[in-house]
Amino acid sequence: MTIKIGISACVIGEPVRFDGGHKASTFCLQQLRPLVKFVAICPEQAIGLGVPRPAIRLQRDANDQIKLVQSRNPAIDHTSAMLTYTEKLLPTLADLSGYVVCAKSPSCGMERVRLYDDAGQQLGKIGVGIYTRQLMQRYPWLPVEEDGRLLDPALRENFITRIYACHDYQQQMQQGFTVAKLVSFHSRYKFLVMAHSPVAYRELGRLVASAKLFDAAELSQRYLINLMQALTNIASRKQHTNVLQHLQGFLKKSLSQAEKQELADLIHRYRQGFLPLMSPLTMLTHHLRQHPNQYVSAQRYLNPYPEQLGLRA
């Protein structure tokens, strides 16, 4: 099934910004678009704001409430309209596996949105867009990222990893949650989680081991939320090395001494920063073809997303 990704309409090139422009993302349009189905949304246009339109901003009132108002005339308040629209829309987005939002937007920004007080003084880049805040509260497990942050290779790779993990989980549980399905899923994701968070690796393991103590619906969501939170951590060279060494251990009886030493050297040189991750991964994959190991081959750590994205290169 095609992965569905929510996206701010301006980020895929639609001219819906307040000035009639767009913020087309090259990565989303050229690399990601062939692999997913985008659900493009402009909440500002959806509540009736035209194109072009007066600029809007986030404003904190005397009661510490965050409002969405017109920049030049704060008496024009769009908060109620935005919240009403969001409340109606969000239930229809439950099948999304990720969301790309427009950075700095008072409606869509994920973080560091400018916030003002009643007098028009800037309080700092401490706000979250009204629409995106509601989105993240409704779906705390949903991978959400800003278009600008996708320019960072590490953040981009991390986001795509989360999207594909989320989609895999959704597909696994599509016909209903069972403990057996959870055990099967977790078995495939153990080493990917270990690479991102050794602490979460242990915690998720304990959660799965005690699965029968929880209500099914509660456990399903709790596991997904904890999994997605774990994967938000950027995997370090040290943590990748730890996983690679664990996986090498499954092949210790199959490889010759020379092969084991060669792979160990590649892993060590990767940790030192002399080689990319693909070097030891390619060698490990080669040995798995020569000496099949069903458990290791099933690990999503080896191929967390389509190879054509080239993110680990």
Side-chain angles (χ1 to χ4, degrees):
M1 181 179 289
T2 303
I3 298 178
K4 293 176 67 175
I5 306 296
I7 191 167
S8 294
C10 60
V11 175
I12 57 168
E14 295 185 17
V16 294
R17 284 175 57 78
F18 75 97
D19 58 1
H22 61 76
K23 288 188 65 179
S25 163
T26 300
F27 172 73
C28 290
L29 289 173
Q30 296 184 5
Q31 291 177 260
L32 192 55
R33 191 171 204 167
L35 301 173
V36 306
K37 178 181 179 181
F38 283 130
V39 178
I41 298 167
C42 175
E44 294 175 16
Q45 189 179 42
I47 64 172
L49 301 184
V51 179
R53 56 183 174 270
I56 56 177
R57 71 187 186 198
L58 293 181
Q59 183 169 294
R60 178 185 290 168
D61 65 18
N63 297 316
D64 281 338
Q65 298 298 309
I66 306 299
K67 296 184 175 182
L68 187 66
V69 302
Q70 193 177 114
S71 296
R72 292 188 176 181
N73 184 3
I76 300 178
D77 189 340
H78 302 295
T79 312
S80 180
M82 182 61 75
L83 292 177
T84 298
Y85 166 73
T86 304
E87 184 177 0
K88 181 179 179 180
L89 176 70
L90 289 184
T92 71
L93 303 181
D95 60 345
L96 296 183
S97 301
Y99 208 117
V100 181
V101 297
C102 179
K104 304 178 183 178
S105 165
S107 58
C108 295
M110 184 185 76
E111 62 178 18
R112 294 178 56 78
V113 179
R114 286 187 174 89
L115 180 64
Y116 297 81
D117 63 16
D118 280 343
Q121 297 298 310
Q122 188 177 156
L123 299 174
K125 296 179 180 179
I126 56 175
V128 176
I130 293 283
Y131 171 81
T132 299
R133 183 178 65 199
Q134 299 299 113
L135 172 73
M136 294 191 296
Q137 288 176 352
R138 173 96 184 197
Y139 301 114
W141 44 264
L142 184 68
V144 179
E145 191 53 273
E146 291 185 334
D147 59 321
R149 284 166 52 93
L150 291 176
L151 297 172
D152 182 298
L155 294 176
R156 183 168 62 239
E157 196 267 349
N158 180 274
F159 178 57
I160 298 302
T161 296
R162 287 184 284 141
I163 283 177
Y164 277 88
C166 182
H167 178 70
D168 195 0
Y169 188 83
Q170 291 168 323
Q171 292 301 295
Q172 182 92 354
M173 305 302 170
Q174 189 174 34
Q175 302 303 319
F177 174 88
T178 67
V179 172
K181 288 181 181 179
L182 178 64
V183 171
S184 174
F185 178 90
H186 183 68
S187 176
R188 293 186 291 113
Y189 276 83
K190 289 173 65 175
F191 290 105
L192 183 62
V193 173
M194 181 188 285
H196 288 262
S197 174
V199 172
Y201 167 79
R202 294 189 290 271
E203 292 176 346
L204 282 171
R206 287 194 291 267
L207 181 62
V208 173
S210 59
K212 294 183 179 180
L213 301 178
F214 297 89
D215 170 76
E218 177 191 356
L219 177 60
S220 179
Q221 185 167 54
R222 180 173 176 179
Y223 179 88
L224 182 56
I225 290 173
N226 290 353
L227 172 69
M228 290 295 105
Q229 184 60 45
L231 295 181
T232 59
N233 297 295
I234 303 296
S236 66
R237 282 184 180 266
K238 178 181 178 181
Q239 288 163 193
H240 274 303
T241 298
N242 181 43
V243 170
L244 290 167
Q245 290 172 337
H246 270 81
L247 294 179
Q248 181 184 18
F250 286 94
L251 300 177
K252 62 183 179 181
K253 293 183 179 179
S254 304
L255 304 183
S256 68
Q257 187 60 40
E259 289 172 328
K260 285 188 284 189
Q261 187 60 52
E262 181 182 28
L263 180 55
D265 288 344
L266 281 177
I267 294 172
H268 180 64
R269 291 177 65 199
Y270 159 72
R271 178 171 181 173
Q272 290 181 311
F274 297 125
L275 294 175
L277 179 60
M278 286 305 299
S279 293
L281 277 177
T282 300
M283 181 62 71
L284 182 62
T285 303
H286 166 75
H287 289 314
L288 282 171
R289 286 196 296 267
Q290 301 299 315
H291 310 284
N293 182 300
Q294 186 175 357
Y295 177 72
V296 176
S297 296
Q299 293 302 314
R300 288 307 299 266
Y301 174 80
L302 298 175
N303 55 342
Y305 40 73
E307 187 178 39
Q308 59 260 45
L309 286 169
L311 300 178
R312 278 180 165 174

